[in-house]
């Protein structure tokens, strides 16, 4: 495509000025430095108005995540005062800025390194998702299998109520459920089908297929993820921990991978005294979930080049693995599963369990953020929620729900925060503790031949050779500039040469079965603080995952692999993989992201060491239940969504029996 400066744009519809003139100057200087004009891809960030686009995206967020970006901008700008001569970054000339950026990548000053890393992800995301840039590398977002000319089946119309249909109201129900994700949706279906009057309150917006089709993946990130995906743990290293915030919860934006909990894990939970969670007890619950959400192995025609490469490498090494089981019906391989499925193939909760629940009479509310649990006479009696304006996020009214049972399913970060804010369930002192997140690294490799690995299922092939050692690998390739790809290359090169080679890249993500060392606490009226420091044992597992990914890629014929370790930006042969294994790396050297929070209100056999009993009942508070990822007693070692769903179905069935 011929590109001219007349194509310049400044942002997206609905643009709002949210940065000060100073912050705009810093952002502009950073964009120009990271992505100057010329080189392998002609337009620079300044030519395309990337800074304006970033500001427009930030305009869609609430003030807290925006504040984080503003702090990173000012912080990074000021770090240059440590240079010679001392000067703020945005005041340096182009050459000095470039040198400062390069030195910052390997700086021993963590805030300097991490502020740059965070801002670089944002700049690359905005630049790469510009359709003019995407088309220069051949990305068109087309599915691998052509769509039926008659179009996809009609969209699912889910009856959801929100502002302005509801402003202030008092509602009475049998059960109120907080959150509509994997746990909340399955619970709503089970309880409503048992004949109970169920109300589901969800903070996020309702999602319709047309919202997904009409927006770029980067914009969907800012719409469907909490805080635009800018959620992190505090500790060493800082870990990105994105979560969904929508009707359907994180399942709307997840990759659709469905692993049953390994028998060894269920056996350990059972051995700890938790009744009816052994492999035989859980099998029927998993069967039922599989049926509702259409779990099946990725069909061969949508496995895509990324899955092919990983399969080839794993088979060459004789390692066990296979096409991933996913919740899909009619998948065409668009490869954008983590930004909402444009053809409703991925059977997220808003397309599977919630319509069933609604058909059985459950009432679903969007844009309603539960503020507190109502406690009357020592028992849970319902909740109080703020009704939010979907355009501004501002409070417009209040919803009081009275219920015989209150179910928390706000996810493993916000459920413990709700409990902690009101000092509930404190006797075991375990609320918010034992947080597991499955941290992992993305490892990218370059091949001679073009792969266009974005075509096909985003997460396609697994390698479980070392699952018993806590390392699971999954071939995962997101659209350009998003997800693993953004943080798993050592910069794009000043001439954007690495980015121009994106069609030649393949990528693997690792999942580590970590120790539950994280901790969640409530912060202010609705915020949270997530503390997590990677242990040395878990850091060793991450490094083993990177080394295994590199071995798979070299076995499949890769030219170069990017382990993203300080001083080791790339390796070029299988012999060099030993540098990954033998290096003296610290946890803070690792670039990590995590997608599976769990365990922060764990279930157990006795009130002494757990927050809920084996059926999700909060030990300390009658009529209060937790049915989400918080209850997992430990890491499940695999992607957790169907573990959460199967446990929620089992716990909700028990609750239905007790209320009927
Ligand atoms: C990018 C990504 C990819 C993933 N891929 C996979 C995968 O392929 N396979 C897999 O098994 N798992 C995957 N996961 C994880 C999986 O989706 C989650 O483990 C699962 O959805 C958690 O279920 P939950 O019910 O605990 O919480 P969620 O599904 O997160 O639902 C919680 C809901 O509660 C709402 N909420 C929070 N606070 C309040 C409040 N105060 N009032 C009202 N509502 C509130 C939230 O907005 C949210 O919608 C992925 C996660 C991410 C982020
Ligand atoms: S599930 Fe993912 S790969 Fe399949 S059609 Fe939807 S977005 Fe595309």
């Amino acid at each position: 495509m011929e590109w001219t400066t007349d194509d310049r744009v400044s942002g997206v519809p609905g643009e709002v000025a949210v940065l000060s003139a100073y912050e705009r100057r810093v952002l502009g200087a950073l964009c120009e430095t990271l992505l100057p004009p010329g080189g392998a891809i002609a337009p620079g960030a300044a030519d395309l108005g990337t800074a304006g686009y970033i500001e427009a995206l930030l305009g869609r967020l609430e003030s807290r995540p925006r504040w984080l970006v503003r702090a990173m901008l000012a912080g990074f700008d000021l770090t240059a005062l440590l240079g010679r001569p001392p000067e703020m970054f945005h005041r340096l000339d182009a050459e000095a800025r470039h040198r400062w950026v390069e030195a910052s990548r390997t700086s021993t000053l963590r805030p300097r390194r991490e502020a740059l890393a965070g801002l670089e992800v944002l700049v690359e995301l905005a630049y790469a998702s510009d359709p003019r840039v995407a088309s220069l590398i051949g990305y068109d977002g087309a599915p691998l299998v052509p769509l039926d000319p008659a179009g996809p089946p009609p969209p699912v119309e889910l009856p959801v109520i929100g502002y302005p249909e509801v402003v202030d109201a008092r509602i009475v129900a049998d059960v109120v459920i907080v959150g509509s994700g994997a746990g909340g949706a399955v619970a709503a279906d089970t309880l409503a089908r048992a004949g109970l009057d169920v109300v589901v309150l969800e903070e996020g917006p309702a999602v319709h297929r047309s919202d997904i089709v009409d927006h770029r993946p980067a914009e969907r990130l800012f719409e469907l993820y909490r805080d635009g995906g800018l959620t992190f743990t505090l500790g060493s290293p800082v870990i990105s921990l994105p979560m969904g915030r929508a009707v359907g919860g994180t399942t709307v934006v997840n990759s659709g991978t469905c692993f049953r909990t390994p028998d060894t894990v269920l056996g350990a939970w059972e051995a700890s005294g938790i009744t009816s969670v052994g492999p035989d007890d859980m099998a029927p619950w998993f069967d039922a979930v599989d049926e509702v959400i259409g779990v099946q192995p990725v069909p061969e025609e949508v496995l895509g080049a990324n899955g092919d490469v990983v399969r080839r490498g794993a088979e060459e090494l004789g390692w066990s693995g296979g096409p991933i089981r996913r919740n899909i019906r009619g998948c065409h391989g668009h490869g954008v599963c983590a930004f909402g499925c444009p053809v409703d193939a991925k059977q997220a909760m808003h397309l599977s369990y919630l319509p069933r629940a609604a058909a059985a009479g459950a009432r679903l509310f969007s844009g309603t953020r539960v503020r507190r649990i109502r406690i009357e006479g020592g028992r849970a009696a319902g909740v109080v929620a703020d009704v939010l304006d979907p355009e501004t996020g501002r409070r417009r009214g209040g919803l009081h729900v009275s219920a015989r049972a209150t179910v928390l399913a706000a996810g493993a970060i916000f459920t413990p925060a709700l409990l902690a804010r009101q000092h509930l369930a404190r006797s075991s002192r375990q609320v918010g503790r034992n947080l597991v997140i499955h941290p992992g690294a993305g490892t990218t490799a370059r091949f001679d031949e073009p792969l266009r690995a974005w075509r096909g299922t985003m997460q396609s092939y697994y390698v479980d050779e070392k699952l018993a050692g806590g390392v699971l690998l999954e071939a995962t390739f997101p659209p350009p500039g998003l997800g693993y790809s953004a943080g798993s290359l050592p910069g794009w090169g000043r001439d954007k040469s690495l980015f121009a080679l994106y069609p030649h890249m393949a990528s693997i993500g690792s999942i580590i079965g970590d120790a539950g060392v994280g901790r969640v606490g409530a912060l202010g009226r609705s915020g949270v603080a997530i503390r997590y420091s990677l242990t040395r044992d878990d850091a060793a597992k991450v490094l083993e995952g990177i080394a295994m990914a590199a071995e798979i890629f070299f076995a499949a014929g890769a030219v170069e692999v990017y382990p993203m370790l300080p001083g080791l930006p790339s390796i070029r042969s299988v012999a060099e993989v030993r540098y990954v294994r033998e290096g003296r790396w610290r946890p803070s050297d690792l670039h990590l992201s995590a997608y599976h929070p769990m365990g922060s209100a764990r279930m157990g056999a006795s009130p002494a060491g757990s927050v809920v009993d084996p059926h999700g009942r909060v030990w300390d508070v009658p009529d209060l239940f937790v049915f989400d990822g918080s209850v997992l007693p430990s890491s499940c070692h695999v992607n957790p969504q169907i573990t959460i769903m199967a446990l929620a179905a089992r716990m909700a069935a028990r609750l239905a029996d007790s209320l009927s």
Side-chain angles (χ1 to χ4, degrees):
M1 185 189 85
E2 193 65 19
W3 182 86
T4 74
T5 46
D6 294 340
D7 292 330
R8 178 191 302 249
V9 291
S10 61
V12 290
E15 178 177 344
V16 209
V18 291
L19 298 178
S20 67
Y22 159 70
E23 290 157 348
R24 222 169 270 142
R25 276 199 295 276
V26 180
L27 180 59
L30 190 66
C31 286
E32 282 169 28
T33 312
L34 290 172
L35 299 166
I41 297 183
D47 302 318
L48 294 174
T50 302
Y53 184 51
I54 293 173
E55 186 167 356
L57 290 173
L58 294 177
R60 298 175 174 205
L61 299 181
E62 289 184 18
S63 57
R64 199 174 33 235
R66 271 205 311 252
W67 178 88
L68 178 70
V69 175
R70 299 169 73 167
M72 287 196 290
L73 283 170
F76 185 68
D77 193 41
L78 294 176
T79 61
L81 290 171
L82 301 169
R84 290 280 168 272
E87 185 54 284
M88 287 194 280
F89 174 77
H90 77 277
R91 294 224 178 110
L92 297 172
D93 63 39
E95 202 44 49
R97 274 193 259 132
H98 173 68
R99 284 198 304 273
W100 191 254
V101 161
E102 287 309 310
S104 300
R105 291 190 203 289
T106 51
S107 168
T108 50
L109 191 65
R110 262 185 65 199
R112 173 178 167 193
R113 212 171 64 222
E114 281 165 3
L116 173 66
L119 292 168
E120 194 169 12
V121 165
L122 203 57
V123 172
E124 290 175 354
L125 172 152
Y127 178 83
S129 55
D130 188 305
R132 293 160 296 174
V133 172
S135 71
L136 288 172
I137 60 161
Y139 177 79
D140 58 5
L144 191 53
V145 173
L147 295 176
D148 185 338
V156 174
E157 300 297 342
L158 187 63
V160 181
I161 314 157
Y163 177 82
E165 291 96 348
V166 61
V167 180
D168 285 300
R170 288 183 177 272
I171 297 174
V172 178
D174 289 319
V175 186
V176 59
I177 300 176
V178 184
S180 62
V186 175
D189 175 55
T190 310
L191 292 159
R193 285 153 66 87
L196 294 161
D197 181 10
V198 175
V199 165
V200 180
L201 303 185
E202 166 58 52
E203 177 183 342
V207 186
H208 193 269
R209 190 163 78 199
S210 57
D211 307 324
I212 294 172
V213 176
D214 292 345
H215 292 103
R216 303 181 206 166
E219 289 158 25
R220 276 139 47 188
L221 176 81
F222 278 73
E223 278 150 16
L224 302 177
Y225 281 69
R226 183 171 294 277
D227 295 346
L230 295 169
T231 37
F232 300 90
T233 59
L234 303 171
S236 177
V238 170
I239 303 175
S240 154
L241 183 67
M243 287 163 265
R245 179 179 164 275
V247 171
T250 305
T251 70
V252 175
V253 294
N254 76 15
S255 308
T257 289
C258 294
F259 278 101
R260 290 192 180 193
T261 331
D263 285 355
T264 47
V265 174
L266 292 176
W269 292 351
E270 190 177 36
S272 75
I274 303 171
T275 48
S276 61
V277 290
D280 292 341
D281 302 304
M282 289 304 294
W285 299 108
F286 280 117
D287 290 344
V289 168
D290 281 4
E291 178 69 29
V292 175
I293 63 174
V295 178
Q296 54 171 296
V298 173
E300 198 58 32
E301 69 270 19
V302 290
L303 193 74
N306 200 45
D308 274 340
V309 159
V310 175
R311 172 163 57 190
R312 198 164 72 229
E315 285 179 358
E316 186 67 28
L317 294 165
W319 287 354
S320 68
I324 284 174
R325 282 170 18 107
R326 303 185 68 235
N327 51 327
I328 40 168
R329 291 198 171 96
C331 172
H332 287 72
H334 289 80
V336 291
C337 324
F339 309 94
C341 176
V343 290
D344 285 350
K346 189 183 72 182
Q347 298 295 292
M349 297 298 95
H350 66 303
L351 302 173
S352 52
Y353 274 103
L354 289 174
R356 281 164 50 111
R363 287 172 283 170
L364 314 178
F365 290 82
S366 62
T368 45
R369 176 159 58 207
V370 171
R371 190 153 38 87
R372 73 181 164 81
I373 302 155
R374 295 176 50 212
I375 303 292
E376 287 173 10
R379 311 180 80 86
V383 296
V384 177
D386 291 335
V387 175
L388 308 174
D389 182 335
E391 293 301 318
T392 62
R394 294 227 166 87
R395 182 182 187 279
R396 295 292 181 194
L399 202 58
H400 285 241
V401 186
S402 303
R404 293 158 67 198
T406 301
V407 173
L408 304 183
I413 300 301
F414 287 89
T415 284
L418 275 169
L419 292 169
R421 196 165 279 117
Q422 287 177 252
H423 309 291
L424 294 172
R426 292 212 304 177
S427 66
S428 67
R429 302 171 65 86
Q430 299 301 318
V431 170
R433 291 177 184 253
N434 315 304
L435 176 73
V436 166
I437 58 173
H438 285 173
T443 304
T444 301
R446 180 166 64 81
F447 287 74
D448 269 334
E449 68 278 15
L451 300 169
R452 284 181 277 278
W454 54 73
R455 302 188 75 201
T457 300
M458 205 184 105
Q459 199 157 68
S460 49
Y461 193 91
Y462 71 92
V463 176
D464 62 354
E465 182 70 17
K466 294 201 179 162
L467 183 61
V471 183
L472 176 63
L473 301 183
E474 290 168 1
T476 307
F477 202 91
L482 289 153
Y484 287 130
S485 59
S488 61
L489 288 174
W492 286 358
R494 197 179 190 185
D495 59 356
K496 309 181 207 84
S497 51
L498 262 190
F499 181 55
L501 286 167
Y502 203 62
H504 294 252
M505 304 287 180
S507 161
I508 292 179
S510 62
I511 290 176
I512 300 309
D514 54 330
V517 293
R519 199 163 168 184
V520 188
L523 194 67
R525 204 173 140 96
S526 61
V528 290
I530 313 166
R531 279 182 281 158
Y532 187 97
S533 282
L534 194 72
T535 66
R536 287 211 164 260
D537 276 359
D538 288 337
K541 290 181 205 165
V542 172
L543 288 162
E544 181 57 25
I546 297 172
M548 288 176 70
E551 284 168 341
I552 291 171
F553 284 138
F554 285 124
V559 182
E560 193 170 37
V561 173
Y562 310 101
M564 292 298 288
L565 293 164
L568 192 64
S570 71
I571 51 178
R572 297 186 64 90
S573 71
V574 74
E576 291 180 4
V577 176
R578 71 187 167 86
Y579 299 140
V580 175
R581 288 209 174 89
E582 293 169 10
R584 296 169 67 84
W585 314 111
R586 292 161 303 180
S588 60
D589 292 331
L590 302 171
H591 288 255
L592 301 180
S593 49
Y595 303 88
H596 304 158
M598 61 189 104
S600 49
R602 70 182 178 194
M603 70 166 54
S606 90
S610 57
V611 179
V612 300
D613 78 3
H615 296 284
R617 193 171 57 88
V618 174
W619 290 109
D620 294 5
V621 187
D623 301 334
L624 184 60
F625 299 80
V626 178
F627 292 172
D628 63 18
S630 318
V631 303
L632 269 62
S634 66
S635 160
C636 58
H637 287 256
V638 293
N639 313 51
Q641 67 166 338
I642 63 168
T643 299
I644 296 167
M645 292 177 205
L647 283 174
R650 167 188 158 282
M651 296 185 293
R654 168 65 77 101
L655 174 59
D657 281 349
S658 70
L659 292 177
S660 298

